[in-house]
Amino acid sequence: LAPLDENIHHIIQEQISTNLAKDLIPDSEILVLDGNPEEVLLKEVNIKEIDLLVMGKKPLDQGTGRTARRMANLAQCSVAIISNSFQKALNTEFAMMVSVDFNESSLNATKTAEMIRNANDAKMLRHHVYRVPSGYHYSGKSFDEFAEIMKKNAQEKMMKMVDKAKLDPDKYKQVYTLDKNNDTAKNIGQTAEKEEVHLIVVGSKGRTKPASIFLGSTAEQLVTNTDLNILIIKDKKSNLDLLSYLID
């Protein structure tokens, strides 16, 4: 009998050959490694200076998705979490949605999504979730009136961000949704389903640049509590020193 690692290597190679046309098979290296999946992956990402880690994720009713969640949180590089629902994108126009909250990580996510769109002629929209602050009533305005003010503020910020990224403001659909239940991740998920997008692009957010290796609460909830396909954009250069510290 062949060693276990050789058998696994053969199975992976067979799956690639079976599911991809020859002209679509990229130059690749198949590694079968022993050890704790999270620790091994983190070290390989660092050693090989990986730019994008792509991981599959079981449906919520079939597992916790712990490894995918941990890697999305700790990997220095950008991470794509792909579920079975991605199969739908293979037979239709590819569509993606960028979740925007106007910080630097949102700008990076927007620029990355633009590059993907240009390479694949994909449909793209930008989405922002806004809220009405709890003390709105001190302004003398109604909830709906203040909600309209917050929406207009968001639209102005969107225009500034688009201008900073040197993008065409009229080229893509922009969607603004009011979050009444303090659940941004759920709002993003509902909008993604309504707009029939195949991929959500988000920026990894931290209070300091090195802390951007860690997910913000919204991105973590999307990874943990949904079956959505998510591309998490990280600032790899700023994360190198922190990741080295964590691994050591």
Side-chain angles (χ1 to χ4, degrees):
L1 293 177
L4 179 59
D5 59 344
E6 290 185 14
N7 284 332
I8 295 173
H9 187 285
H10 177 72
I11 291 171
I12 295 172
Q13 187 64 64
E14 281 292 312
Q15 289 180 337
I16 294 173
S17 300
T18 301
N19 292 285
L20 289 178
K22 288 185 177 180
D23 59 333
L24 294 179
I25 298 177
D27 292 334
S28 59
E29 177 184 7
I30 299 174
L31 299 177
V32 181
L33 304 173
D34 183 35
N36 179 286
E38 298 162 21
E39 294 177 0
V40 171
L41 279 172
L42 278 176
K43 287 183 178 180
E44 286 299 312
V45 164
N46 189 34
I47 291 170
K48 296 185 177 298
E49 299 182 350
I50 300 299
D51 295 309
L52 175 64
L53 175 66
V54 182
M55 298 193 66
K57 181 175 178 289
K58 294 178 181 178
L60 293 178
D61 60 358
Q62 295 182 19
T64 63
R66 182 180 185 275
T67 299
R69 183 178 68 252
R70 290 273 295 170
M71 292 307 300
N73 202 27
L74 292 177
Q76 65 165 5
C77 62
S78 298
V79 181
I81 306 295
I82 305 300
S83 71
N84 290 339
S85 66
F86 200 75
Q87 290 290 331
K88 297 177 182 178
L90 301 179
N91 300 314
T92 185
E93 180 186 14
F94 186 70
M96 58 185 171
M97 181 176 84
V98 188
S99 179
V100 175
D101 58 6
F102 313 122
N103 56 22
E104 194 67 24
S105 64
S106 288
L107 182 61
N108 290 337
T110 299
K111 290 179 177 179
T112 301
E114 172 72 6
M115 288 190 290
I116 297 173
R117 194 216 70 82
N118 289 338
N120 297 278
D121 195 27
K123 173 185 174 183
M124 188 175 89
L125 63 91
R126 304 184 192 95
H127 175 235
H128 174 72
V129 179
Y130 64 97
R131 296 176 183 168
V132 173
S134 58
Y136 75 90
H137 52 280
Y138 291 118
S139 68
K141 297 184 181 298
S142 68
F143 181 90
D144 290 340
E145 288 173 333
F146 212 96
E148 189 61 29
I149 291 173
M150 297 303 294
K151 182 178 180 180
K152 289 181 179 178
N153 288 342
Q155 290 171 329
E156 291 176 2
K157 290 179 179 179
M158 183 74 80
M159 292 300 293
K160 289 180 180 178
M161 190 197 73
V162 168
D163 182 63
K164 185 176 182 180
K166 298 181 180 179
L167 302 176
D168 184 347
D170 301 318
K171 197 172 184 179
Y172 313 114
K173 183 177 181 180
Q174 295 176 168
V175 179
Y176 303 85
T177 54
L178 175 61
D179 182 10
K180 296 182 179 180
N181 301 309
N182 198 31
D183 193 342
T184 302
K186 183 177 180 180
N187 197 300
I188 292 172
Q190 290 174 338
T191 303
E193 291 181 3
K194 180 180 178 182
E195 298 290 338
E196 298 182 331
V197 301
H198 306 107
L199 179 68
I200 298 175
V201 184
V202 299
S204 184
K205 179 168 62 173
R207 293 183 181 178
T208 63
K209 266 209 162 186
S212 68
I213 190 173
F214 300 112
L215 298 186
S217 59
T218 297
E220 186 164 7
Q221 288 174 37
L222 286 171
V223 172
T224 304
N225 301 323
T226 76
D227 287 326
L228 299 167
N229 303 300
I230 305 166
L231 174 59
I232 302 158
I233 304 302
K234 298 191 180 187
D235 185 349
K236 178 182 173 183
K237 184 177 180 181
S238 297
N239 294 334
L240 284 170
D241 291 340
L242 180 58
L243 186 73
S244 298
Y245 170 78
L246 289 171
I247 290 176
D248 293 340

